[in-house]
Amino acid sequence: MDLANADTWGSAIYFWIVPAVIADAIFPPVPSEMLVITGGALSADGRANVFLVAVLAALASWLGDLMVFQLFKRRLSHVLDRWSWGRRFHSGVHLAIAKAGRSSTYGAIIGIRFIPGGRLAATAAAGIANVSTRGFSFCAALGGALWAAWSVGLGYVTGSATRLPFWASSLIGVVLGLAIGAVVGVIVTRRRGSPSPVDDPDEELDF
């Protein structure tokens, strides 16, 4: 597989987006954002369909969020403690929640995903707080759609503006996305609203 060949990526991008974005819900280091931005850059080059890339990214984001939410809402996360990677996952959740700061529950579900690790923190915290499944599902779908549109659009605009090879446009888009997304995410997490489990010192985060 020639990783520098746009034709190779154009035919494979659809198959990689869904598993990568779902996996990113549990393991934030998975570079799903870069993959989605790459899909946008390939679309600008005529190698992929920009709408299909966005739909797949949004759908995968929603499915991954629901999986993690139900895991914590139903208090099933202790099952993962049987494996060392599961214990590392719990440690990562604690760290992600600690870094996410104070925010309203629904605002966090929608907006905090723009901060690295924020998607996992907001989803786990919502499950711990017993947020209604319908409310979470709606906010996760809206947040996933906004994130997908932003990431794909960033790759598409960067690719169209620079006319560089798709991988170079993707790297530029990732840098811009991290910088701008972090600012937006910080603004969202500083807003006051309905209480979140991170805000309540009496809430026991029992994993």
Side-chain angles (χ1 to χ4, degrees), residues 52-114:
L52 182 56
V53 171
V55 169
L56 289 175
L59 177 62
S61 176
W62 180 68
L63 291 175
D65 286 353
L66 283 180
M67 289 171 54
V68 175
F69 172 73
Q70 291 296 335
L71 184 69
F72 284 91
K73 185 178 179 67
R74 299 180 183 278
R75 302 298 190 266
L76 299 176
S77 56
H78 65 277
V79 175
L80 300 177
D81 288 336
R82 299 175 182 178
W83 300 278
S84 59
W85 67 266
R87 292 189 290 273
R88 289 195 298 271
F89 168 66
H90 283 171
S91 177
V93 170
H94 279 289
L95 181 61
I97 292 177
K99 287 183 176 180
R102 295 174 176 270
S103 63
S104 65
T105 300
Y106 291 110
I109 294 169
I110 296 172
I112 206 173
R113 67 187 61 240
F114 291 96

Side-chain angles (χ1 to χ4, degrees), residues 121-133:
T123 303
I128 295 167
N130 286 316
V131 172
S132 71
T133 300

